DNA sequence: ATGAAAGCGCTAACAG
DNA sequence: CTGTTAGCGCTTTCAT
């Protein structure tokens, strides 16, 4: 049986109240008394029961992380950031995966409520506005990556438009003038936002992205491989392709190689996600936009802590991307730093 | 303020004791009384405080999941299985990432102890015996994927030897007789075990795997790409390659294509990990050994629950692998089921 | 069938 | 400086 504060008090020869104060550095007492208490606790291997403590304090120093549709490739980085932010306040993370099931989600919300979590982070694979998790929850909620359809909620996500801009800027900086875009299904907000960003960056240069040069399809290598060929047969003058994710980019790179086109000399390539495992192994290695998910996680954690302290910031905030420059679209001078942006980096999964 | 059981009692016009019994379906009382209590609780949106409850019950229905070196590609599937197993007992998961830091690990262990978790799962990226997390913890511990160096502990991991056997059996079944092995650093127990399994399966067929046909290197595409060429230049008669993971296999597939060798007609290929995103996108798609991590997670969860109930099973248990058959080494008849083994499947990250 | 009382481990207000 | 007392939300004897 684990020792309780009563055991400490008894062994140290003080009252429970004094033991409590002694252990928490509160109140005033003779240094030797405090020392004796602390020493006794150490001797007995005393670990104060946080659940008992939270009964009086009202705070559990626990936050829930509810993922709506499984742990994806994005989860680890995000999780790392969240954990680091929360550890500043020694909060622990309670994990739940709703698996696209409203009943299960409801069940988890109840469980987290019963555990009296101090706050909740809701995450999902898409940036599209999603139904709010529940109204009138007894703790603050922050949406991460996914955003709540209710503008009164707090959401932190990626600025996909900025990401699209960065990708195109890298291509034009290298000298591309006739740029195309191979990307995922337009049903995704992220896909549409990246297109918007790409067009904006091209407009800055007096260029454009006609519909004929935007190809939507599944987010897969297969798509990149087959569509790059069709695209170049149709418009052979294309000299740069912005791909909606690294899988498409990889497929495109392989497709171009199969067609005998050189990357980046004939056609330059920029991907999205900076999924190192894939991007760095592509021949040539893929330049790719990075969503800085670790930093997103940190910001989400900090935002939640602020909300718990009463400082709520409703609305959607969108964090900028950065770009990892690699051989598929190198920096023009050849000696630019690989990373633009000072966002903290963490290795891939 | 969230309603307490006292509020329920007052509104329902009963004592707290009766309210408690009524809500928990315990004791005997008039059905109408119970109904009134339950209804009141519903009306007030009452959520019993589990922390308070665990004060008396001694159980928190919470288990810790400590990962020693970050969330990797293997984490999501494992996590899913653990969560499913634990949900049978409505346990929640408290997440901690020690990041290869002993101090941080110690810190998390303390935090979990203070939270009075019912049990702990320790996981890591390697199957090599690792130092036990701490002695005399006040709750049971199960090691998942990683195994404890102390045989008195409970560890559940993958049977890499079996995986190696499966891979080779698939190659020989397709007709390969001169088999090579491109794999990761021999410092990994998993790498050595797979070699052992491969040799055993070959011996069954009266074949062997001379040292000259085993190439160790980093677990990367680059390694597969370059080493497959060197290997075939040295031993052109090789007709099947077992690769230590899917990245190596993918590199090898690309390398073979670059050399003008057909897969699987000239050289067949089997990978390891069955990382669908990579394996299914390779041209041709990669046959690959699957470690059934979701199932590993389930077994780990069930084992922990059993330990919490007092049924401990010390030692290392190794779960068999299965194999996903794809075009790089198809089934001989062409119409075999893609999956051997009835292990539950979950989609990739 | 119901309720009063004690107690889980800890903190805090107030006395002494 | 230290101890007594009350109470956090809930469960559990044990009376009534």
């Amino acid at each position: 049986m684990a020792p309780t504060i009563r055991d400490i008090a008894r062994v140290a020869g003080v009252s429970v109240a004094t033991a409590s104060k002694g252990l928490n550095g509160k109140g005033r007492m003779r240094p030797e008394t405090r020392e004796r208490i602390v020493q006794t606790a150490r001797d007995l291997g005393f670990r104060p029961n946080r659940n008992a403590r939270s009964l009086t304090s009202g705070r559990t120093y626990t936050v829930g992380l509810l993922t709506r549709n499984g742990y994806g490739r994005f989860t680890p980085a995000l999780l790392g950031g969240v954990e680091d932010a929360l550890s500043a306040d020694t909060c622990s993370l309670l994990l739940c995966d709703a698996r696209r099931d409203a009943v299960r989600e409801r069940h988890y919300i109840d469980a987290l409520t019963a555990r009296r979590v101090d706050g909740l982070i809701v995450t999902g694979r898409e940036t599209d506005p999603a139904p709010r998790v529940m109204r009138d929850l007894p703790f603050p909620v922050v949406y991460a990556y996914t955003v709540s359809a209710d503008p009164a909620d707090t959401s932190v996500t990626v600025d996909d438009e900025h990401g699209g801009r960065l990708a195109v800027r890298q291509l034009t900086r290298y000298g591309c003038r006739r740029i195309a875009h191979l990307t995922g299904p337009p049903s995704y907000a992220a896909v549409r936002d990246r297109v918007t960003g790409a067009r904006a960056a091209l407009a800055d240069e007096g260029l454009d992205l006609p519909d004929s040069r935007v190809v939507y399809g599944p987010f897969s290598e297969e798509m990149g491989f087959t569509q790059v060929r069709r695209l170049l047969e149709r418009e052979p003058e294309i000299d740069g392709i912005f791909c909606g994710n690294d899988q498409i980019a990889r497929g495109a790179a392989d497709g171009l190689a199969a067609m005998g086109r050189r990357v980046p000399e004939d056609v330059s390539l920029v991907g999205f996600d900076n999924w190192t495992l894939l991007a760095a192994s592509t021949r040539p290695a893929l330049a790719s936009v990075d969503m800085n998910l670790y930093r997103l996680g940190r910001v989400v954690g900090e935002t939640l802590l602020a909300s718990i302290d009463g400082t709520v910031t409703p609305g959607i905030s969108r964090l900028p991307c950065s770009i990892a420059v690699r051989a598929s679209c190198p920096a023009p001078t050849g000696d630019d730093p690989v990373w633009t942006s000072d966002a903290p980096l963490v290795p891939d999964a």
Side-chain angles (χ1 to χ4, degrees), chain A:
Chain A
M1 212 51 217
T4 77
I5 199 173
R6 249 194 297 272
D7 299 319
I8 308 303
R10 187 168 35 73
V11 174
V14 294
S15 75
V16 182
T18 305
S20 172
K21 278 180 281 198
L23 291 166
N24 296 306
K26 293 192 174 175
R28 335 186 126 284
M29 68 184 63
R30 283 218 301 286
E32 56 209 80
T33 311
R34 172 156 289 151
E35 183 45 46
R36 182 157 36 94
I37 294 169
V38 170
Q39 187 54 48
T40 312
R42 236 193 313 259
D43 292 347
L44 302 191
F46 173 67
R47 293 273 135 229
N49 184 330
R50 289 200 73 143
N51 297 321
R53 181 188 297 208
S54 67
L55 210 47
T56 42
S57 75
R59 278 208 48 180
T60 56
Y61 292 92
T62 305
V63 322
L65 179 67
L66 175 74
T67 135
R68 281 186 146 165
N69 42 23
Y71 309 112
R73 210 165 59 249
F74 299 163
T75 313
L78 189 83
L79 215 53
V82 167
E83 224 185 340
D84 282 354
L86 294 181
S87 72
D89 205 19
T90 57
C91 276
S92 298
L93 258 189
L94 225 30
L95 214 64
C96 323
D97 180 3
R99 317 240 176 118
R100 304 175 191 279
D101 180 347
V103 175
R104 197 188 285 259
E105 177 168 314
R106 174 60 200 255
H107 167 83
Y108 276 127
I109 295 289
D110 286 352
L112 293 170
T113 307
R115 290 192 144 81
R116 299 294 189 267
V117 293
D118 294 332
L120 173 66
I121 294 168
V122 178
T123 183
R125 285 174 200 267
E126 295 95 25
T127 59
D128 301 72
R132 172 192 40 217
V133 71
M134 210 178 155
R135 44 179 303 133
D136 294 329
L137 249 21
F139 42 76
V141 180
V142 173
Y143 293 79
Y145 195 78
T146 187
V147 314
S148 168
D150 185 337
D153 289 329
T154 304
S155 307
V156 186
T157 189
V158 163
D159 189 343
D160 281 297
E161 203 176 312
H162 176 248
R165 247 198 304 264
L166 277 184
V168 163
R169 192 177 305 156
Q170 179 65 17
L171 288 166
T172 57
R173 209 158 70 105
Y174 182 65
C176 305
R177 314 304 288 168
R178 289 167 302 276
I179 290 172
H181 187 33
L182 295 181
T183 188
S187 53
Y188 288 93
V191 166
R192 299 191 302 271
D193 292 344
R194 291 169 195 176
V195 172
T196 305
R199 288 213 155 103
L202 283 169
D204 288 348
E205 309 274 332
L207 301 171
D208 70 340
L209 180 62
D211 286 344
S212 66
R213 289 190 188 157
V214 180
V215 182
Y216 300 99
F219 270 130
S220 69
E221 285 193 42
E222 161 70 12
M223 134 70 163
F225 190 82
T226 60
Q227 295 300 325
V228 74
R229 158 160 268 138
R230 294 191 48 187
L231 182 70
L232 283 171
E233 278 167 358
R234 211 169 56 224
E235 312 202 28
E237 71 283 10
I238 282 169
D239 57 7
I241 306 179
F242 165 32
C243 297
N245 78 353
D246 287 341
Q247 288 169 268
I248 293 179
R250 167 121 201 204
D254 290 354
L256 288 168
M259 298 168 69
R261 302 277 201 133
R262 293 168 308 165
V263 177
E265 295 83 353
D266 301 332
V267 180
S268 306
L269 238 36
V270 172
F272 208 105
D273 288 349
N274 190 27
W275 188 19
T276 316
L277 238 58
L278 204 65
S281 295
T282 303
R283 279 166 300 274
L286 288 175
S288 185
V289 174
D290 192 297
M291 297 190 285
N292 295 319
L293 293 171
Y294 170 83
R295 191 188 48 184
L296 174 61
R298 282 199 77 114
V299 173
V300 165
E302 288 157 6
T303 306
L304 185 62
L305 289 181
S307 301
I308 292 171
D309 281 347
T311 311
V312 292
T313 46
I316 302 175
S317 86
R318 300 182 187 275
L319 304 184
C321 299
S322 49
I323 185 166
V325 176
R326 298 199 188 86
S328 73
C329 185
T333 69
D335 62 5
D336 280 34
V338 169
W339 279 88
T340 68
S341 154
D342 54 357
L345 303 182
V346 285
D348 253 22

